[in-house]
Amino acid sequence: MTKNTKVNIISGFLGSGKTTFIKKYLDQAKNLGKVVILENEFGEVSIDSDTLNSEEINIYEINAGCICCSLLIDFKAGLEYILKKFNPDTLFIEPSGVAKVSDIAKILEDFEGIELDKIITIVNAFTFDMYIKAFGEHYKDQIVNADIIYLTRVERLEKIRKNGLDKLINDLKLLNSKALIVDKSLDQLNINDIIYENPKHDNNSQTVGENNLDLSSYTFNVDRIYLKEHLNSLLDEFINFSKYGLIIRSKGIVNDTEGKYLKFDYVDGELQIQKLTDASKTGIVVIGQNLNQKRIHDLFENLS
């Protein structure tokens, strides 16, 4: 009898923390067997794949679009390739932040050799109110179809909004009363406590809204080296909507002055920078609305 590959979809809007959550999952979960990760980036370069790279894990990338929209054929072909080549016990699907989870789930529900186990949606607690107003039904689709909702940036929310977490949890329950909502910090979270006690996905995904999210991405490379101080100045620049467009998310890996690399990650007024000793590629991705590509490219060329 042919085995079924157990599939977990790890969804979440741009910058919510999907890759970090998957890394935690892989570090702690038991009995995963042979693992493959199907990673879909909205931009043309996958910045996060190195974070998950391991000799025991195969990563299959689909870039430059959304697997529930323009890359639907690539997604189906990718699934067939993964099942045939790797025959994994566990498959993680990390869709782009703008993906509609309901569309992906419906494909999986009819796909032979696959068992959809859970949909886990990562929600940035701090940006929830802003994103649900700006992106409406598209954003709700990820929440409505989740079996588990994991909250990130909770501390930032609680610093500026009294009772902000209580209101957020109530809003999420109004959208999805069945999902387990988890607000523990990542260092306190035990993955096994939430994935094995929660029932399997019920194969009854609901489509919310249409595929009409007006976002674009710009992917490029810059032939220069950077100091950390150069990248820190991005915070002041990115909020200039009239000059660059509305930048929702940006990340990249660039060369530093010591022959190594700097990785930066920007979302909603927060910028994180870390030094890397090694990287398989360099590149910069900017995602947003009405992006002025020339000005963005010039910005990175001239950072000082």
Side-chain angles (χ1 to χ4, degrees):
M1 183 176 177
T2 305
K3 73 175 181 183
N4 279 343
T5 294
K6 183 185 291 186
V7 179
N8 290 294
I9 302 174
I10 312 297
S11 75
F13 209 71
L14 300 164
S16 59
K18 296 186 295 295
T19 303
T20 304
F21 181 86
I22 291 176
K23 190 173 187 308
K24 178 79 170 185
Y25 198 128
L26 294 172
D27 289 343
Q28 288 192 338
K30 303 172 183 175
N31 305 318
L32 293 178
K34 185 190 293 185
V35 175
V36 175
I37 299 171
L38 193 161
E39 191 175 63
N40 172 220
E41 288 278 9
F42 192 57
E44 295 176 4
V45 174
S46 176
I47 300 299
D48 293 324
S49 58
D50 282 350
T51 304
L52 298 170
N53 244 336
S54 161
E55 291 182 1
E56 295 81 32
I57 297 168
N58 292 288
I59 297 176
Y60 185 89
E61 298 177 20
I62 301 177
N63 298 325
C66 173
I67 57 178
C68 59
C69 307
S70 58
L71 298 180
L72 185 59
I73 294 174
D74 289 349
F75 176 50
K76 291 179 178 177
L79 281 176
E80 291 173 353
Y81 174 81
I82 287 169
L83 293 177
K84 184 175 180 179
K85 180 175 176 62
F86 302 110
N87 190 24
D89 299 291
T90 304
L91 171 63
F92 288 93
I93 298 178
E94 182 186 357
S96 78
V98 299
K100 292 200 73 173
V101 174
S102 58
D103 291 347
I104 300 169
K106 285 175 181 175
I107 293 170
L108 295 176
E109 287 161 9
D110 297 328
F111 211 93
E112 189 175 346
I114 275 180
E115 175 189 343
L116 178 54
D117 187 41
K118 286 182 179 61
I119 297 174
I120 302 175
T121 295
I122 316 301
V123 172
N124 182 327
F126 183 76
T127 60
F128 172 82
D129 284 341
M130 178 177 70
Y131 283 175
I132 206 159
K133 289 174 184 175
F135 305 112
E137 304 304 314
H138 207 105
Y139 184 63
K140 290 178 185 177
D141 187 271
Q142 298 184 357
I143 295 166
V144 167
N145 290 289
D147 303 299
I148 299 171
I149 298 172
Y150 178 67
L151 304 180
T152 60
R153 308 292 203 281
V154 171
E155 288 184 6
R156 189 179 180 201
L157 171 68
E158 292 184 311
K159 279 181 182 177
I160 65 163
R161 296 179 198 164
K162 186 178 180 181
N163 300 321
L165 179 59
D166 292 338
K167 179 184 180 301
L168 170 60
I169 291 175
N170 184 62
D171 289 344
L172 290 170
K173 286 181 176 179
L174 289 174
L175 291 169
N176 185 340
S177 60
K178 296 180 181 179
L180 172 67
I181 300 174
V182 182
D183 61 0
K184 288 184 178 180
S185 62
L186 205 61
D187 60 339
Q188 295 178 331
L189 178 66
N190 186 328
I191 289 291
N192 298 292
D193 290 342
I194 65 173
I195 61 173
Y196 294 119
E197 301 198 11
N198 227 41
K200 174 169 116 49
H201 188 71
D202 63 7
N203 286 353
N204 189 25
S205 302
Q206 305 174 48
T207 300
V208 181
E210 302 296 329
N211 289 326
N212 58 356
L213 196 59
D214 183 23
L215 289 176
S216 62
S217 69
Y218 175 42
T219 304
F220 59 102
N221 227 315
V222 178
D223 186 21
R224 60 161 286 183
I225 59 176
Y226 293 86
L227 295 170
K228 186 176 180 180
E229 290 73 23
H230 297 153
L231 297 177
N232 275 325
S233 64
L234 288 171
L235 264 181
D236 294 329
E237 293 289 343
F238 278 174
I239 61 174
N240 191 337
F241 305 150
S242 61
K243 187 173 183 180
Y244 303 110
L246 175 59
I247 296 175
I248 296 171
R249 178 89 162 101
S250 182
K251 54 186 175 180
I253 297 175
V254 297
N255 297 298
D256 76 356
T257 57
E258 301 174 356
K260 296 181 181 178
Y261 305 90
L262 292 171
K263 179 180 179 181
F264 73 89
D265 201 323
Y266 169 85
V267 61
D268 188 53
E270 285 189 306
L271 179 68
Q272 297 179 345
I273 302 170
Q274 65 180 110
K275 185 179 286 288
L276 302 177
T277 56
D278 193 23
S280 62
K281 64 179 82 72
T282 59
I284 297 165
V285 180
V286 180
I287 301 172
Q289 294 176 327
N290 303 313
L291 299 178
N292 188 314
Q293 296 185 4
K294 184 181 185 309
R295 287 180 177 174
I296 291 170
H297 195 280
D298 289 347
L299 167 65
F300 279 89
E301 282 273 16
N302 301 311
L303 281 176
S304 59

